[in-house]
Amino acid sequence: MMSSESSSLQTASGDAAASKGKVSFFQANKSLIQISVLSGCGVACTLAFEKARVFDPSVIQDQMDFSRFVMLKMFLTAVTTGLVSMSALSIIPATKQKFMIARDAFVGPLKCKGILSSAIGGALLGMGMTISGTCPGMVFVQIGGGVSNAVYTLAGGFAGVLVYGLVEPFIRSAIRPAQPAKHHWMDHYLGMNFASVALPLAVVIGSVVAAVEYYVPWSTEVVTSNTGNFLTVPSWSPIVSGMMIGLAQVPLVLTVDDTLGSTTAYRTILAQLIPNSLSKKLLSYFHGIQNNMDSWWQVIYLGSIMITAYVSASLSHNYNSVQGVSIPSSLIGGFLLLFGSRLASGCTSGHGLSGLALLKVLSFVNVPAIFAGAMGLQFIRNLL
């Protein structure tokens, strides 16, 4: 007959083995889970972009001289929803650590950046938006949706990242802050907890969206239809689309420990095309890019965006129906988009949607610079 001590040891051993089995199962399926979540977020965000009509270059350009407000409503709603979502993650005990890890991941590439690089990079990105009528992540929506000349914007973007990689060592030494930032986060700067800053800010931004929508209803700015289901109608409210994008931050934080962004994907793809010997000597910016989920998750996310854009545009009979900008504008705009984004280490998704939602101090410099560059150039274009 087995002693009670022996029985207890076997029970404990069995529990440990079971526990180990659970961990091994999770680790074995971690990549599959991440890919599934990334694809799902890509689907949700693409539907939001395509149905809000912000993949149309004219909608983005019209925002810059306030002819239309669709982009502003979607963007600010996404930021508002992101602030609320991040507040929830920062408060709930089970997700608080994930929130902190995602914050650390966000600030990593920005440690060598300062106000100057954020402002100049943002202004260049904004000018690229006005010229090309898109932003780094939206390019993939445009390609999937059949927007003419979008592939040239993508080519210009890759050229921008490549040139930035060539000059990055010189830029880094020229504009690197003399001292590291004392406070990376707005809540730390104010000496308050995250939710105490994020939630009042969400109320203010949400009120701005409500006021703009009241005076300029979205249905007066884009083509709408009362027939068809939610997938086949030509457009949705930008407020609904913005909420979808803001909520997409949550599964990303919980599975890949990161937030929405797109420009790192350009660097990752180029790194695979540059011989290791060349990148080590001349293009150190692309050297040592790891072939793991930390480097590739944005590529998977953007790939799902392109596929979903094609399906969504086809279902609503919008595929290949949107006129893009000229080839020279696509190339020049794409170049500025990605050169500026890499200089600032973030784009309209990275700094705009994620950085503001995380209360990153430099994002509050970068985003106004983006719109200042975009609106300033559009004002000049309208005068010519």
Side-chain angles (χ1 to χ4, degrees):
M1 187 173 181
M2 187 181 296
S3 67
S4 59
E5 182 178 356
S6 176
S7 177
S8 298
L9 287 173
Q10 286 196 5
T11 301
S13 177
D15 290 343
S19 176
K20 185 177 180 181
K22 290 179 181 178
V23 172
S24 298
F25 176 82
F26 174 78
Q27 293 298 330
N29 292 275
K30 184 177 180 181
S31 294
L32 180 60
I33 293 170
Q34 289 176 327
I35 291 172
S36 299
V37 169
L38 289 169
S39 300
C41 289
V43 170
C45 289
T46 306
L47 287 173
F49 291 140
E50 198 268 328
K51 294 302 183 184
R53 307 300 298 169
V54 293
F55 77 105
D56 186 331
S58 66
V59 171
I60 293 178
Q61 292 171 333
D62 288 349
Q63 179 60 69
M64 301 313 169
D65 60 9
F66 300 105
S67 301
R68 277 193 274 192
F69 294 89
V70 175
M71 177 188 171
L72 182 69
K73 293 173 193 175
M74 189 201 72
F75 177 78
L76 292 183
T77 301
V79 173
T80 301
T81 308
L83 286 165
V84 175
S85 300
M86 294 301 109
S87 295
L89 292 177
S90 73
I91 294 171
I92 300 171
T95 60
K96 188 173 182 178
Q97 185 178 6
K98 283 286 188 179
F99 168 76
M100 297 302 296
I101 292 173
R103 256 188 154 188
D104 289 341
F106 186 90
V107 79
L110 292 167
K111 288 183 178 179
C112 63
K113 303 291 183 177
I115 292 176
L116 189 60
S117 59
S118 295
I120 296 175
L124 291 174
L125 166 58
M127 288 188 283
M129 287 178 65
T130 292
I131 294 171
S132 63
T134 190
C135 60
M138 198 70 68
V139 174
F140 292 85
V141 182
Q142 292 184 340
I143 292 174
V147 177
S148 59
N149 297 331
V151 291
Y152 293 101
T153 308
L154 182 66
F158 278 120
V161 176
L162 182 61
V163 171
Y164 179 78
L166 282 168
V167 301
E168 190 268 342
F170 306 101
I171 292 177
R172 184 173 65 247
S173 61
I175 63 176
R176 186 184 182 97
Q179 294 181 340
K182 187 176 181 181
H183 298 288
H184 291 293
W185 309 108
M186 191 65 70
D187 48 310
H188 292 176
Y189 178 78
L190 296 173
M192 302 168 66
N193 66 57
F194 181 86
S196 297
V197 179
L199 292 177
L201 182 59
V203 171
V204 172
I205 298 175
S207 298
V208 172
V209 175
V212 175
E213 174 63 17
Y214 177 80
Y215 287 104
V216 188
W218 71 274
S219 57
T220 65
E221 299 185 284
V222 295
V223 175
T224 61
S225 174
N226 294 324
T227 61
N229 57 45
F230 76 105
L231 286 176
T232 59
V233 293
S235 59
W236 296 345
S237 164
I239 295 175
V240 173
S241 295
M243 291 176 67
M244 288 177 61
I245 296 168
L247 289 173
Q249 300 278 22
V250 175
L252 289 177
V253 170
L254 296 180
T255 56
V256 295
D257 300 327
D258 214 332
T259 47
L260 284 173
S262 59
T263 57
T264 301
Y266 290 77
R267 181 187 181 188
T268 300
I269 293 170
L270 276 179
Q272 314 311 310
L273 304 176
I274 299 172
N276 193 54
S277 58
L278 180 61
S279 66
K280 189 174 183 179
K281 294 178 181 179
L282 185 62
L283 293 163
S284 59
Y285 184 71
F286 300 99
H287 185 68
I289 301 296
Q290 300 298 315
N291 288 319
N292 56 34
M293 192 60 72
D294 290 341
S295 298
W296 281 90
W297 77 261
Q298 286 190 7
V299 178
I300 298 170
Y301 165 71
L302 292 175
S304 68
I305 277 182
M306 192 159 54
I307 295 170
T308 306
Y310 171 76
V311 175
S312 179
S314 297
L315 288 173
S316 55
H317 306 290
N318 286 325
Y319 181 76
N320 205 26
S321 65
V322 175
Q323 180 65 43
V325 299
S326 66
I327 292 176
S329 293
S330 296
L331 291 169
I332 295 170
F335 182 92
L336 291 174
L337 284 176
L338 270 298
F339 189 92
S341 296
R342 289 293 81 204
L343 177 59
S345 285
C347 60
T348 43
S349 295
H351 272 301
L353 299 178
S354 299
L356 295 183
L358 292 171
L359 299 181
K360 183 72 176 74
V361 173
L362 284 182
S363 296
F364 286 87
V365 174
N366 177 265
V367 174
I370 290 175
F371 284 98
M375 292 176 182
L377 183 57
Q378 184 70 356
F379 176 76
I380 294 172
R381 283 159 56 98
N382 288 342
L383 290 178
L384 299 177

